[in-house]
């Protein structure tokens, strides 16, 4: 069979499957959006394995233990912003645990002068199924969608605007492919039959503070957000450990809250397989910056909170491994 016919058939199947998964999240489809690979030399779509290079031009050979997307984004070169030492204190963390949909859990009152944070993540199109308790700041740490469909992101933004929290903070996740503009430009075909027109994330999220390697200060509390993850099935925001080390070196000391999509190595970072997919580079920079709280998601199986040194680690994944929204938001107060 002609290899071009095989490739075309596979590309079309991936598109159909991804669109079906967007319509029916939680279905038992198994995708391999990382095939076929695109050769950076001749730009043909082709099959590769660890021993082979491009079957067409035979020019580009590389290690496929992780796919390297260096050509998709610029490396971080900026130095960290210098912040004064934080004087904030973490008052309490409330893990509501697994909960039935829209079941109201009575939360203890916050201390006088405290700011209450409500954390969710990995809602995967199911944000309107969540019961969100009241608070001052709502944090979503990525994977709003299944494959970045614009209508899902726009509905999420509308939903955020309907919630009473005065402040909302969002970082992107690997499934939110249209938010990684450099990546989507060259890889849209893996996820959508037609490419969406370019729209800056700040316009998509008019009701949120969207953080991409940037910081916002709310009530004197410094919050830094970053979307990058270790290579994972050739989705968006992928970087190697070495590249992550460069990007996360820009996280400033003196922050109070760090929000990422990827977990740090060793903290709520193991999926059901038991293989730790947390980032050692991220952990290194968490230990350097010592935030009061590190909020993330990505690994649905490891929802919950863990204490490590000065930092409380919160995996706020809202869906479980079957994409059911069984995990309640995790709440914490800072004064």
């Amino acid at each position: 069979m002609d290899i071009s016919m095989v490739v075309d058939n596979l590309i079309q199947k991936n598109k159909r499957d991804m669109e079906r998964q967007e319509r029916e999240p939680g279905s038992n489809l198994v995708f391999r959006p990382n095939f076929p690979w695109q050769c950076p030399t001749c730009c043909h779509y082709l099959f590769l394995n660890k021993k082979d290079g491009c079957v067409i031009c035979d020019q580009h050979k590389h290690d496929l233990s992780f796919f390297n997307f260096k050509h998709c984004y610029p490396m971080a070169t900026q130095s960290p912003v210098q912040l004064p030492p934080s004087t904030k204190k973490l008052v309490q963390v409330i893990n509501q645990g697994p909960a039935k949909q829209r079941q109201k859990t009575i939360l203890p009152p916050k201390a006088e002068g405290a700011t209450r944070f409500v954390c969710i993540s990995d809602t995967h199109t199911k944000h309107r199924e969540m019961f969100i308790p009241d608070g001052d700041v709502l944090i979503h740490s990525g994977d709003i969608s299944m494959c970045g469909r614009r209508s899902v992101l726009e509905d999420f933004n509308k939903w955020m605007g309907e919630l009473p929290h005065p402040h909302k903070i969002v970082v992107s996740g690997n499934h939110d492919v249209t938010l990684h503009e450099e990546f989507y430009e060259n890889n849209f075909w893996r996820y959508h039959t037609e490419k969406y027109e370019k729209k800056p994330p700040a316009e998509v999220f008019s009701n949120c503070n969207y953080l991409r390697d940037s910081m916002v200060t709310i009530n004197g509390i410094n919050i830094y957000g970053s979307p990058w993850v270790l290579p994972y099935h050739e989705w968006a925001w992928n970087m190697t450990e070495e590249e992550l080390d460069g990007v996360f070196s820009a996280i400033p000391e003196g922050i109070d809250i760090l929000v990422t999509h990827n977990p740090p190595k060793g903290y709520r970072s193991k999926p059901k397989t038991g293989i730790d997919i947390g980032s050692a580079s991220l952990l290194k920079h968490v230990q350097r910056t010592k935030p009061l709280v590190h909020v993330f998601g990505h690994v649905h199986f490891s929802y919950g909170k863990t204490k490590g040194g000065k930092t409380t680690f919160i995996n706020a994944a809202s869906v479980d491994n079957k994409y059911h929204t069984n995990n309640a938001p995790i709440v914490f107060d800072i004064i």
Side-chain angles (χ1 to χ4, degrees), residues 278-325:
S279 167
S281 297
L282 180 54
L283 177 60
K284 167 186 168 183
H285 291 287
V286 170
Q287 292 171 338
R288 172 181 62 83
T289 57
K290 298 179 176 62
L292 291 174
V293 181
H294 180 191
V295 184
F296 49 88
H298 194 42
V299 184
H300 305 173
F301 186 73
S302 289
Y303 162 83
K305 65 183 179 70
T306 302
K307 181 79 172 179
K310 180 184 175 182
T311 303
T312 295
F313 297 90
I314 294 177
N315 182 329
S318 300
V319 301
D320 58 21
N321 278 0
K322 295 182 179 180
Y323 286 80
H324 298 150
T325 47

